Coordinates of all heavy atoms in Angstrom, one line a residue:
M1 N -15.8 6.3 -0.6 CA -15.5 4.9 -0.3 C -14.0 4.6 -0.3 O -13.4 4.1 0.6 CB -16.2 4.0 -1.3 CG -15.9 2.5 -1.0 SD -16.5 1.4 -2.2 CE -18.2 1.8 -2.4
F2 N -13.3 5.1 -1.3 CA -11.8 4.9 -1.4 C -11.1 5.7 -0.4 O -10.1 5.2 0.2 CB -11.4 5.3 -2.8 CG -9.9 5.2 -3.0 CD1 -9.2 4.0 -3.0 CD2 -9.1 6.4 -3.0 CE1 -7.8 4.0 -3.1 CE2 -7.7 6.4 -3.1 CZ -7.1 5.1 -3.2
L3 N -11.5 6.9 -0.1 CA -10.8 7.7 0.9 C -11.0 7.3 2.3 O -10.2 7.7 3.2 CB -11.2 9.2 0.7 CG -10.7 9.8 -0.6 CD1 -11.2 11.3 -0.7 CD2 -9.2 9.8 -0.7
Q4 N -12.0 6.6 2.6 CA -12.4 6.3 4.0 C -11.2 5.5 4.7 O -10.8 5.9 5.8 CB -13.7 5.5 4.1 CG -14.2 5.3 5.5 CD -15.5 4.7 5.5 OE1 -16.0 4.1 4.5 NE2 -16.2 4.8 6.6
P5 N -10.6 4.5 4.1 CA -9.5 3.8 4.8 C -8.3 4.7 5.0 O -7.6 4.7 6.0 CB -9.2 2.6 3.9 CG -10.3 2.4 3.1 CD -11.0 3.7 2.9
L6 N -8.1 5.6 4.0 CA -6.9 6.5 4.1 C -7.1 7.5 5.2 O -6.2 7.8 6.0 CB -6.7 7.2 2.8 CG -6.4 6.3 1.6 CD1 -6.2 7.2 0.3 CD2 -5.1 5.5 1.8
L7 N -8.3 8.1 5.3 CA -8.6 9.1 6.4 C -8.6 8.4 7.7 O -8.1 9.0 8.7 CB -10.0 9.7 6.1 CG -10.1 10.6 4.9 CD1 -11.5 11.0 4.7 CD2 -9.1 11.8 5.0
K8 N -9.1 7.2 7.8 CA -9.1 6.4 9.1 C -7.6 6.2 9.5 O -7.3 6.4 10.7 CB -9.8 5.1 8.9 CG -10.0 4.3 10.1 CD -10.8 3.1 9.8 CE -11.0 2.2 11.1 NZ -11.8 1.0 10.8
E9 N -6.7 5.8 8.6 CA -5.3 5.6 8.9 C -4.6 6.9 9.3 O -3.9 6.9 10.3 CB -4.6 4.9 7.7 CG -3.2 4.6 8.0 CD -2.9 3.6 9.0 OE1 -3.8 2.8 9.3 OE2 -1.8 3.6 9.6
K10 N -5.0 8.0 8.6 CA -4.4 9.2 9.0 C -4.8 9.7 10.4 O -4.0 10.2 11.2 CB -4.7 10.3 7.9 CG -4.0 11.6 8.1 CD -4.2 12.5 6.9 CE -3.3 13.7 7.0 NZ -3.4 14.6 5.9
K11 N -6.1 9.5 10.7 CA -6.6 9.9 12.0 C -5.9 9.0 13.1 O -5.5 9.5 14.1 CB -8.1 9.7 12.0 CG -8.7 10.2 13.3 CD -10.2 9.9 13.4 CE -11.0 10.8 12.5 NZ -12.4 10.7 12.6
R12 N -5.8 7.7 12.8 CA -5.1 6.8 13.8 C -3.7 7.2 14.0 O -3.2 7.2 15.1 CB -5.2 5.4 13.3 CG -4.7 4.3 14.3 CD -4.7 2.9 13.7 NE -3.7 2.8 12.7 CZ -2.4 2.7 13.0 NH1 -1.9 2.8 14.2 NH2 -1.5 2.5 12.0
S13 N -3.0 7.6 12.9 CA -1.6 8.0 13.1 C -1.4 9.3 13.9 O -0.6 9.4 14.7 CB -0.9 8.2 11.7 OG -0.9 7.0 11.0
R14 N -2.3 10.2 13.6 CA -2.3 11.5 14.3 C -2.6 11.3 15.8 O -1.9 11.8 16.7 CB -3.3 12.5 13.7 CG -3.4 13.8 14.5 CD -4.3 14.8 13.8 NE -3.6 15.3 12.6 CZ -2.6 16.2 12.6 NH1 -2.2 16.6 13.7 NH2 -2.1 16.7 11.5
R15 N -3.6 10.4 16.1 CA -4.0 10.2 17.5 C -2.8 9.5 18.2 O -2.5 9.9 19.3 CB -5.2 9.2 17.5 CG -5.9 9.2 18.9 CD -7.1 8.4 18.9 NE -7.9 8.4 17.7 CZ -8.2 7.3 16.9 NH1 -7.8 6.1 17.3 NH2 -8.9 7.4 15.8
S16 N -2.1 8.6 17.6 CA -1.0 7.9 18.1 C 0.2 8.9 18.4 O 0.8 8.8 19.5 CB -0.5 6.8 17.2 OG 0.8 6.4 17.5
S17 N 0.4 9.8 17.5 CA 1.5 10.8 17.7 C 1.2 11.9 18.7 O 2.1 12.3 19.4 CB 1.7 11.5 16.3 OG 2.1 10.6 15.4
T18 N -0.1 12.3 18.9 CA -0.4 13.3 19.9 C -0.4 12.8 21.3 O -0.2 13.6 22.2 CB -1.8 13.9 19.6 OG1 -2.8 12.8 19.6 CG2 -1.9 14.7 18.3
R19 N -0.4 11.5 21.5 CA -0.3 11.0 22.8 C 1.1 11.3 23.5 O 1.2 11.3 24.7 CB -0.5 9.5 22.8 CG -1.9 9.0 22.8 CD -2.0 7.6 23.1 NE -2.9 7.0 22.1 CZ -2.8 5.9 21.4 NH1 -1.8 5.1 21.7 NH2 -3.7 5.5 20.6
H20 N 2.1 11.5 22.6 CA 3.4 11.7 23.1 C 3.7 13.2 23.3 O 4.8 13.6 23.6 CB 4.5 11.1 22.2 CG 4.3 9.6 22.0 ND1 4.6 8.8 23.0 CD2 3.8 8.9 21.0 CE1 4.3 7.5 22.6 NE2 3.9 7.6 21.3
E21 N 2.7 14.1 23.2 CA 2.8 15.5 23.4 C 3.9 16.2 22.7 O 4.8 16.9 23.2 CB 2.9 15.8 24.9 CG 1.6 15.3 25.7 CD 1.7 15.6 27.2 OE1 2.6 16.3 27.6 OE2 0.9 15.0 27.9
K22 N 4.0 15.9 21.4 CA 5.0 16.6 20.5 C 4.4 17.8 19.9 O 3.2 18.0 19.8 CB 5.4 15.6 19.4 CG 5.8 14.2 19.9 CD 7.1 13.8 19.3 CE 7.5 12.4 19.8 NZ 8.7 12.3 20.4
P23 N 5.3 18.7 19.4 CA 4.9 20.0 18.8 C 4.1 19.6 17.5 O 4.4 18.6 16.8 CB 6.2 20.7 18.4 CG 7.2 20.1 19.3 CD 6.8 18.7 19.6
E24 N 3.2 20.5 17.0 CA 2.4 20.2 15.9 C 3.2 20.0 14.6 O 2.8 19.1 13.8 CB 1.4 21.4 15.6 CG 0.4 21.2 14.6 CD -0.6 20.1 14.8 OE1 -0.9 19.8 16.0 OE2 -1.0 19.5 13.8
N25 N 4.3 20.7 14.4 CA 5.1 20.5 13.2 C 5.7 19.1 13.2 O 5.9 18.5 12.1 CB 6.1 21.6 12.9 CG 7.1 21.7 14.0 OD1 6.9 21.3 15.2 ND2 8.2 22.3 13.7
V26 N 6.1 18.6 14.3 CA 6.7 17.3 14.4 C 5.7 16.2 14.2 O 5.9 15.2 13.5 CB 7.4 17.1 15.8 CG1 7.9 15.7 16.0 CG2 8.5 18.1 16.0
I27 N 4.5 16.5 14.7 CA 3.4 15.5 14.5 C 3.0 15.4 13.1 O 2.8 14.3 12.5 CB 2.1 16.0 15.3 CG1 2.4 15.8 16.8 CG2 0.9 15.2 14.9 CD1 1.3 16.3 17.7
E28 N 3.0 16.5 12.3 CA 2.7 16.5 10.9 C 3.8 15.7 10.1 O 3.4 14.9 9.3 CB 2.7 17.9 10.3 CG 1.5 18.7 10.6 CD 0.2 18.0 10.1 OE1 0.2 17.5 8.9 OE2 -0.8 17.9 10.8
K29 N 5.0 15.8 10.5 CA 6.1 15.0 9.8 C 5.9 13.5 10.2 O 6.2 12.7 9.3 CB 7.5 15.5 10.2 CG 7.8 16.9 9.6 CD 9.2 17.2 9.7 CE 9.5 18.6 9.2 NZ 9.7 18.6 7.8
I30 N 5.6 13.2 11.4 CA 5.4 11.8 11.8 C 4.2 11.2 11.0 O 4.3 10.1 10.5 CB 5.2 11.7 13.3 CG1 6.4 12.1 14.1 CG2 4.7 10.3 13.7 CD1 6.3 12.2 15.6
V31 N 3.1 11.9 11.0 CA 1.9 11.5 10.3 C 2.3 11.3 8.8 O 1.9 10.3 8.2 CB 0.7 12.4 10.5 CG1 -0.4 12.1 9.5 CG2 0.3 12.4 11.9
E32 N 3.0 12.2 8.2 CA 3.4 12.1 6.8 C 4.2 10.9 6.5 O 4.0 10.1 5.6 CB 4.1 13.4 6.4 CG 4.5 13.4 4.9 CD 5.2 14.7 4.6 OE1 4.9 15.8 5.1 OE2 6.2 14.6 3.8
G33 N 5.2 10.6 7.4 CA 6.0 9.4 7.3 C 5.2 8.1 7.4 O 5.4 7.2 6.7
K34 N 4.3 8.1 8.4 CA 3.4 6.9 8.6 C 2.5 6.7 7.4 O 2.3 5.6 6.9 CB 2.6 7.0 9.8 CG 3.4 6.8 11.1 CD 2.6 6.9 12.3 CE 3.4 6.7 13.6 NZ 2.6 6.6 14.8
M35 N 2.0 7.8 6.8 CA 1.1 7.7 5.6 C 1.9 7.2 4.4 O 1.4 6.4 3.6 CB 0.4 9.0 5.3 CG -0.6 9.4 6.3 SD -1.9 8.1 6.7 CE -2.7 8.0 5.1
D36 N 3.2 7.7 4.2 CA 4.0 7.2 3.1 C 4.2 5.7 3.3 O 4.2 4.9 2.3 CB 5.3 7.9 3.1 CG 5.2 9.3 2.6 OD1 4.2 9.7 2.0 OD2 6.2 10.1 2.8
K37 N 4.5 5.2 4.5 CA 4.7 3.8 4.7 C 3.4 3.0 4.4 O 3.4 2.0 3.8 CB 5.1 3.5 6.1 CG 5.3 2.0 6.4 CD 6.0 1.8 7.7 CE 6.2 0.4 8.1 NZ 5.8 -0.7 7.2
Y38 N 2.2 3.6 4.8 CA 0.9 3.0 4.6 C 0.7 2.8 3.1 O 0.3 1.8 2.6 CB -0.2 3.8 5.3 CG -1.6 3.2 5.1 CD1 -1.9 2.0 5.8 CD2 -2.5 3.8 4.3 CE1 -3.2 1.5 5.6 CE2 -3.8 3.3 4.2 CZ -4.1 2.2 4.8 OH -5.4 1.7 4.7
Y39 N 0.9 3.9 2.3 CA 0.7 3.9 0.9 C 1.6 2.8 0.3 O 1.2 2.1 -0.7 CB 1.1 5.2 0.2 CG 0.1 6.3 0.5 CD1 0.5 7.6 0.8 CD2 -1.3 6.1 0.4 CE1 -0.4 8.6 1.1 CE2 -2.2 7.2 0.7 CZ -1.7 8.4 1.0 OH -2.6 9.4 1.3
G40 N 2.8 2.7 0.7 CA 3.8 1.7 0.2 C 3.3 0.3 0.4 O 3.6 -0.6 -0.3
D41 N 2.5 0.1 1.5 CA 2.0 -1.2 1.8 C 0.8 -1.6 1.0 O 0.6 -2.7 0.6 CB 1.7 -1.3 3.3 CG 2.9 -1.3 4.2 OD1 4.0 -1.6 3.7 OD2 2.8 -1.1 5.4
I42 N -0.1 -0.6 0.7 CA -1.4 -0.9 0.1 C -1.4 -0.6 -1.4 O -2.3 -1.1 -2.1 CB -2.6 -0.2 0.8 CG1 -2.5 1.3 0.7 CG2 -2.7 -0.7 2.2 CD1 -3.8 2.0 1.0
C43 N -0.6 0.3 -1.9 CA -0.7 0.7 -3.3 C 0.3 -0.1 -4.1 O 1.5 -0.1 -3.9 CB -0.3 2.2 -3.5 SG -1.4 3.3 -2.7
L44 N -0.2 -0.8 -5.1 CA 0.7 -1.7 -5.9 C 1.9 -1.0 -6.5 O 3.0 -1.5 -6.4 CB -0.1 -2.4 -7.1 CG 0.7 -3.2 -8.0 CD1 1.2 -4.4 -7.4 CD2 -0.1 -3.5 -9.3
L45 N 1.7 0.2 -7.1 CA 2.8 0.8 -7.8 C 3.8 1.4 -6.8 O 4.9 1.8 -7.2 CB 2.2 1.9 -8.7 CG 1.4 1.4 -9.8 CD1 0.8 2.6 -10.7 CD2 2.1 0.4 -10.7
E46 N 3.5 1.5 -5.5 CA 4.4 2.0 -4.5 C 5.1 0.9 -3.8 O 6.0 1.1 -3.0 CB 3.6 2.9 -3.5 CG 3.1 4.1 -4.0 CD 4.2 5.1 -4.5 OE1 5.2 5.2 -3.8 OE2 4.0 5.7 -5.6
Q47 N 4.7 -0.4 -4.0 CA 5.3 -1.5 -3.4 C 6.7 -1.9 -4.0 O 6.9 -1.6 -5.2 CB 4.4 -2.7 -3.4 CG 3.2 -2.6 -2.6 CD 2.2 -3.7 -2.7 OE1 2.6 -4.8 -3.3 NE2 1.1 -3.6 -2.2
G48 N 7.5 -2.5 -3.2 CA 8.8 -2.9 -3.7 C 8.7 -4.1 -4.6 O 7.8 -4.9 -4.4
F49 N 9.5 -4.2 -5.6 CA 9.6 -5.3 -6.6 C 10.1 -6.5 -5.8 O 11.1 -6.4 -5.1 CB 10.4 -4.9 -7.8 CG 10.6 -6.0 -8.8 CD1 9.5 -6.7 -9.2 CD2 11.8 -6.3 -9.3 CE1 9.6 -7.7 -10.2 CE2 12.0 -7.3 -10.3 CZ 10.9 -8.0 -10.7
V50 N 9.5 -7.7 -6.0 CA 9.9 -8.9 -5.2 C 11.4 -9.2 -5.4 O 12.0 -9.6 -4.5 CB 8.9 -10.0 -5.6 CG1 9.6 -11.3 -5.8 CG2 7.8 -10.2 -4.7
K51 N 11.9 -9.1 -6.6 CA 13.3 -9.5 -6.9 C 14.3 -8.4 -6.5 O 15.5 -8.7 -6.4 CB 13.5 -9.8 -8.4 CG 12.7 -11.0 -8.8 CD 12.9 -11.4 -10.2 CE 12.2 -12.6 -10.6 NZ 12.4 -12.9 -12.0
D52 N 13.8 -7.2 -6.3 CA 14.7 -6.1 -5.9 C 13.8 -5.1 -5.0 O 13.2 -4.2 -5.6 CB 15.2 -5.3 -7.1 CG 16.1 -4.2 -6.7 OD1 16.4 -4.0 -5.5 OD2 16.6 -3.4 -7.6
P53 N 13.7 -5.4 -3.7 CA 12.8 -4.6 -2.9 C 13.1 -3.1 -2.8 O 12.2 -2.3 -2.5 CB 13.0 -5.2 -1.5 CG 13.5 -6.5 -1.7 CD 14.3 -6.4 -3.0
D54 N 14.3 -2.7 -3.2 CA 14.6 -1.2 -3.3 C 14.0 -0.5 -4.5 O 13.9 0.7 -4.5 CB 16.2 -1.0 -3.3 CG 16.8 -1.5 -2.0 OD1 16.1 -1.5 -0.9 OD2 18.0 -1.9 -2.0
M55 N 13.6 -1.3 -5.5 CA 13.0 -0.7 -6.6 C 11.4 -0.8 -6.5 O 10.9 -1.9 -6.2 CB 13.4 -1.5 -7.9 CG 12.7 -1.0 -9.2 SD 13.2 -2.0 -10.6 CE 14.7 -1.1 -11.1
K56 N 10.7 0.3 -6.7 CA 9.3 0.3 -6.7 C 8.7 -0.3 -8.0 O 9.4 -0.2 -9.0 CB 8.7 1.6 -6.4 CG 9.1 2.1 -5.0 CD 8.4 3.4 -4.6 CE 8.8 3.8 -3.2 NZ 8.0 4.8 -2.7
I57 N 7.5 -0.8 -8.0 CA 6.9 -1.3 -9.2 C 6.7 -0.2 -10.2 O 6.9 -0.5 -11.4 CB 5.5 -1.9 -8.8 CG1 5.6 -3.1 -7.8 CG2 4.7 -2.3 -10.1 CD1 6.3 -4.3 -8.4
Q58 N 6.4 1.0 -9.8 CA 6.3 2.1 -10.8 C 7.7 2.3 -11.5 O 7.7 2.5 -12.7 CB 5.9 3.4 -10.1 CG 5.8 4.6 -11.0 CD 4.7 4.4 -12.0 OE1 3.5 4.1 -11.7 NE2 5.0 4.5 -13.3
S59 N 8.8 2.2 -10.8 CA 10.1 2.4 -11.4 C 10.4 1.3 -12.4 O 10.9 1.5 -13.5 CB 11.2 2.4 -10.4 OG 11.0 3.5 -9.5
L60 N 10.0 0.0 -12.0 CA 10.1 -1.1 -12.9 C 9.3 -0.9 -14.2 O 9.9 -1.2 -15.3 CB 9.7 -2.4 -12.2 CG 9.7 -3.7 -13.0 CD1 11.2 -4.1 -13.3 CD2 9.0 -4.8 -12.3
L61 N 8.1 -0.5 -14.1 CA 7.3 -0.2 -15.2 C 7.9 0.8 -16.1 O 8.0 0.6 -17.4 CB 5.9 0.2 -14.8 CG 4.9 -0.9 -14.4 CD1 3.6 -0.3 -13.9 CD2 4.7 -1.9 -15.5
T62 N 8.4 1.9 -15.5 CA 9.0 3.0 -16.3 C 10.2 2.5 -17.0 O 10.4 2.8 -18.2 CB 9.4 4.1 -15.4 OG1 8.2 4.6 -14.7 CG2 10.0 5.3 -16.2
E63 N 11.0 1.6 -16.4 CA 12.2 1.1 -17.0 C 11.9 0.2 -18.1 O 12.5 0.2 -19.2 CB 13.0 0.3 -15.9 CG 14.3 -0.4 -16.3 CD 14.9 -1.2 -15.2 OE1 15.3 -0.5 -14.2 OE2 15.0 -2.4 -15.4
K64 N 10.9 -0.7 -18.0 CA 10.5 -1.6 -19.0 C 9.9 -0.9 -20.2 O 10.1 -1.3 -21.4 CB 9.5 -2.7 -18.5 CG 10.1 -3.6 -17.4 CD 11.3 -4.4 -18.0 CE 11.9 -5.2 -16.9 NZ 13.1 -5.9 -17.3
I65 N 9.1 0.2 -19.9 CA 8.5 1.0 -21.0 C 9.6 1.6 -21.9 O 9.6 1.6 -23.1 CB 7.6 2.1 -20.5 CG1 6.3 1.4 -19.9 CG2 7.3 3.1 -21.5 CD1 5.4 2.4 -19.1
A66 N 10.7 2.1 -21.2 CA 11.8 2.7 -21.9 C 12.6 1.7 -22.7 O 13.0 1.9 -23.9 CB 12.7 3.4 -20.9
K67 N 12.8 0.5 -22.1 CA 13.5 -0.6 -22.8 C 12.8 -1.1 -24.0 O 13.4 -1.3 -25.1 CB 13.8 -1.7 -21.8 CG 14.7 -2.8 -22.4 CD 15.0 -3.8 -21.3 CE 15.8 -5.0 -21.9 NZ 16.1 -6.0 -20.9
L68 N 11.5 -1.4 -23.8 CA 10.7 -2.0 -24.9 C 10.1 -1.0 -25.9 O 9.8 -1.4 -27.0 CB 9.5 -2.8 -24.3 CG 9.9 -4.0 -23.3 CD1 8.7 -4.6 -22.7 CD2 10.7 -5.0 -24.1
G69 N 10.0 0.2 -25.5 CA 9.4 1.2 -26.4 C 7.9 1.1 -26.5 O 7.3 1.6 -27.4
E70 N 7.3 0.3 -25.6 CA 5.8 0.1 -25.7 C 5.2 0.6 -24.3 O 5.9 0.5 -23.3 CB 5.5 -1.4 -25.8 CG 5.9 -2.0 -27.1 CD 5.0 -1.6 -28.3 OE1 3.8 -1.3 -28.0 OE2 5.5 -1.5 -29.4
N71 N 4.0 1.0 -24.4 CA 3.3 1.5 -23.2 C 2.8 0.2 -22.4 O 2.3 -0.7 -23.0 CB 2.1 2.4 -23.5 CG 1.6 3.1 -22.3 OD1 2.3 3.1 -21.2 ND2 0.4 3.6 -22.3
I72 N 3.0 0.2 -21.1 CA 2.6 -0.9 -20.3 C 1.7 -0.3 -19.2 O 2.0 0.6 -18.6 CB 3.8 -1.6 -19.6 CG1 4.8 -2.1 -20.6 CG2 3.3 -2.7 -18.7 CD1 6.1 -2.6 -20.0
T73 N 0.5 -1.0 -19.1 CA -0.4 -0.6 -18.0 C -0.8 -1.8 -17.2 O -0.9 -2.9 -17.7 CB -1.7 0.1 -18.6 OG1 -2.3 -0.8 -19.5 CG2 -1.4 1.4 -19.4
V74 N -1.2 -1.6 -16.0 CA -1.7 -2.6 -15.1 C -3.2 -2.5 -15.2 O -3.8 -1.5 -14.7 CB -1.2 -2.5 -13.7 CG1 -1.8 -3.5 -12.8 CG2 0.4 -2.5 -13.6
K75 N -3.8 -3.5 -15.8 CA -5.3 -3.5 -15.9 C -6.0 -4.0 -14.6 O -7.0 -3.5 -14.2 CB -5.7 -4.4 -17.1 CG -5.3 -3.9 -18.4 CD -6.2 -2.8 -18.9 CE -5.8 -2.4 -20.3 NZ -6.6 -1.5 -20.9
R76 N -5.4 -5.0 -14.0 CA -5.9 -5.5 -12.8 C -4.9 -6.4 -12.1 O -4.0 -6.9 -12.8 CB -7.3 -6.2 -13.0 CG -7.3 -7.7 -13.0 CD -8.6 -8.3 -13.4 NE -8.3 -9.3 -14.3 CZ -9.2 -10.2 -14.7 NH1 -10.4 -10.2 -14.3 NH2 -8.8 -11.1 -15.6
F77 N -5.1 -6.6 -10.8 CA -4.2 -7.6 -10.1 C -5.0 -8.2 -9.0 O -6.0 -7.6 -8.6 CB -2.9 -6.9 -9.6 CG -3.1 -5.9 -8.5 CD1 -2.9 -6.3 -7.2 CD2 -3.5 -4.6 -8.8 CE1 -3.0 -5.4 -6.2 CE2 -3.7 -3.7 -7.7 CZ -3.5 -4.1 -6.4
V78 N -4.5 -9.3 -8.4 CA -5.1 -9.9 -7.3 C -4.1 -10.0 -6.2 O -3.0 -10.3 -6.4 CB -5.6 -11.4 -7.7 CG1 -6.2 -12.1 -6.5 CG2 -6.6 -11.3 -8.8
R79 N -4.6 -9.7 -5.0 CA -3.7 -9.7 -3.8 C -4.1 -10.9 -2.9 O -5.2 -11.0 -2.5 CB -3.8 -8.4 -3.0 CG -2.9 -8.4 -1.8 CD -3.1 -7.0 -1.1 NE -2.3 -7.0 0.0 CZ -2.6 -7.4 1.2 NH1 -3.8 -7.9 1.4 NH2 -1.8 -7.3 2.3
F80 N -3.1 -11.8 -2.7 CA -3.4 -12.9 -1.8 C -2.6 -12.7 -0.5 O -1.5 -12.2 -0.5 CB -2.9 -14.2 -2.4 CG -3.7 -14.7 -3.6 CD1 -3.3 -14.4 -4.9 CD2 -4.8 -15.5 -3.4 CE1 -4.1 -14.9 -5.9 CE2 -5.6 -15.9 -4.4 CZ -5.2 -15.6 -5.7
E81 N -3.2 -13.1 0.6 CA -2.5 -13.1 1.9 C -2.2 -14.6 2.2 O -2.9 -15.5 1.8 CB -3.4 -12.5 3.0 CG -3.6 -11.0 2.9 CD -4.3 -10.4 4.1 OE1 -4.1 -11.0 5.2 OE2 -5.0 -9.5 3.9
L82 N -1.2 -14.7 3.0 CA -0.8 -16.0 3.4 C -1.9 -16.7 4.1 O -2.6 -16.2 4.9 CB 0.4 -15.9 4.4 CG 1.1 -17.2 4.8 CD1 1.8 -17.8 3.5 CD2 2.2 -16.9 5.8
G83 N -2.2 -17.9 3.7 CA -3.4 -18.7 4.2 C -4.6 -18.5 3.4 O -5.7 -19.1 3.8
Q84 N -4.6 -17.8 2.3 CA -5.8 -17.7 1.4 C -5.5 -18.4 0.1 O -4.4 -18.6 -0.3 CB -6.1 -16.2 1.1 CG -6.6 -15.4 2.2 CD -6.9 -14.0 1.8 OE1 -6.3 -13.5 0.9 NE2 -7.9 -13.4 2.5
E85 N -6.6 -18.8 -0.5 CA -6.5 -19.4 -1.8 C -7.8 -19.1 -2.6 O -8.8 -18.7 -2.1 CB -6.3 -20.9 -1.8 CG -7.5 -21.7 -1.1 CD -7.2 -23.2 -0.9 OE1 -6.7 -23.7 -1.9 OE2 -7.6 -23.7 0.1
L86 N -7.7 -19.2 -3.9 CA -8.8 -18.9 -4.8 C -9.4 -20.2 -5.2 O -8.8 -21.1 -5.8 CB -8.3 -18.1 -6.0 CG -9.3 -17.5 -6.9 CD1 -10.2 -16.5 -6.2 CD2 -8.7 -16.8 -8.1
V87 N -10.7 -20.4 -4.9 CA -11.4 -21.7 -5.3 C -12.7 -21.3 -6.0 O -13.5 -20.6 -5.4 CB -11.8 -22.5 -4.0 CG1 -12.5 -23.7 -4.4 CG2 -10.5 -22.8 -3.2
N88 N -12.8 -21.7 -7.2 CA -14.0 -21.4 -8.1 C -14.3 -20.0 -8.1 O -15.4 -19.5 -8.0 CB -15.2 -22.2 -7.5 CG -15.0 -23.7 -7.6 OD1 -14.4 -24.2 -8.6 ND2 -15.6 -24.4 -6.7
G89 N -13.3 -19.1 -8.2 CA -13.4 -17.7 -8.4 C -13.7 -17.0 -7.1 O -14.0 -15.8 -7.1
R90 N -13.7 -17.6 -5.9 CA -13.9 -17.0 -4.7 C -12.7 -17.2 -3.7 O -12.1 -18.2 -3.7 CB -15.2 -17.6 -4.0 CG -16.4 -17.4 -4.9 CD -17.6 -18.0 -4.2 NE -17.8 -17.1 -3.0 CZ -19.0 -16.8 -2.6 NH1 -20.1 -17.1 -3.2 NH2 -19.1 -16.0 -1.5
M91 N -12.5 -16.1 -2.9 CA -11.4 -16.2 -1.9 C -11.8 -17.1 -0.8 O -12.9 -17.1 -0.3 CB -11.1 -14.8 -1.4 CG -10.5 -13.9 -2.4 SD -8.9 -14.5 -3.0 CE -7.9 -14.2 -1.6
R92 N -10.9 -18.0 -0.4 CA -11.2 -18.9 0.7 C -10.0 -18.8 1.7 O -8.8 -18.9 1.3 CB -11.4 -20.3 0.2 CG -11.9 -21.3 1.3 CD -12.0 -22.6 0.7 NE -10.8 -23.3 1.0 CZ -10.6 -24.6 0.7 NH1 -11.6 -25.3 0.2 NH2 -9.5 -25.2 1.0
T93 N -10.2 -18.7 3.0 CA -9.2 -18.7 4.0 C -9.1 -20.1 4.5 O -10.1 -20.8 4.6 CB -9.6 -17.8 5.2 OG1 -9.8 -16.5 4.6 CG2 -8.5 -17.7 6.2
N94 N -7.9 -20.6 4.7 CA -7.7 -22.0 5.2 C -8.7 -22.3 6.4 O -8.8 -21.5 7.3 CB -6.3 -22.2 5.6 CG -5.4 -22.3 4.4 OD1 -5.8 -22.5 3.3 ND2 -4.1 -22.3 4.7
G95 N -9.3 -23.4 6.3 CA -10.2 -23.8 7.4 C -11.7 -23.5 7.1 O -12.6 -23.9 7.8
T96 N -12.0 -22.7 6.0 CA -13.4 -22.4 5.7 C -13.7 -23.1 4.4 O -12.9 -23.3 3.5 CB -13.6 -20.8 5.5 OG1 -12.8 -20.4 4.4 CG2 -13.3 -20.1 6.7
P97 N -15.0 -23.6 4.3 CA -15.4 -24.4 3.1 C -15.5 -23.5 1.9 O -15.7 -22.3 1.9 CB -16.7 -24.9 3.5 CG -17.2 -24.2 4.7 CD -16.0 -23.5 5.3

């Protein structure tokens, strides 16, 4: 279940790269770069920190753990998209009841 979106994205990236008739080693590097970008978009710990986009969340956690001397873990988080809101514990897109 978890791997399905990743495999789908990898297949899509490979298909997109092979259309340009590039050598296999170049295609592998292109796909690897696209997958790194994809992970950065969907994985919380790989995303940039809002106040400093050059710093990843994982780096921020590591820095805070070192500074505070306490272990910090992310138990859960909620991702909102523009135009969504949480109403009575359910996601609602603008315009839907």
Side-chain angles (χ1 to χ4, degrees):
M1 181 188 306
F2 173 73
L3 290 177
Q4 191 173 17
L6 298 177
L7 294 174
K8 186 176 179 180
E9 181 65 23
K10 189 170 187 174
K11 186 184 283 187
R12 188 185 67 74
S13 295
R14 177 173 285 286
R15 196 175 324 120
S16 166
S17 298
T18 55
R19 278 192 227 138
H20 301 291
E21 299 179 11
K22 304 228 184 241
E24 185 62 29
N25 63 337
V26 173
I27 290 173
E28 282 302 317
K29 290 193 182 277
I30 291 171
V31 170
E32 184 178 320
K34 286 183 179 183
M35 291 306 294
D36 285 346
K37 181 171 179 359
Y38 181 72
Y39 289 136
D41 289 343
I42 65 163
C43 299
L44 174 67
L45 298 178
E46 294 296 316
Q47 292 178 7
F49 178 46
V50 138
K51 294 183 179 179
D52 181 6
D54 294 331
M55 176 184 273
K56 293 187 179 193
I57 298 295
Q58 181 63 56
S59 300
L60 176 69
L61 282 175
T62 304
E63 180 183 296
K64 296 301 178 184
I65 289 169
K67 182 177 181 180
L68 299 173
E70 294 287 330
N71 193 18
I72 301 171
T73 59
V74 177
K75 295 276 185 178
R76 106 184 133 168
F77 71 99
V78 177
R79 180 179 180 271
F80 289 95
E81 286 190 32
L82 193 60
Q84 290 184 331
E85 60 183 323
L86 191 62
V87 177
N88 297 327
R90 299 182 68 138
M91 292 298 289
R92 188 181 95 172
T93 304
N94 287 346
T96 61

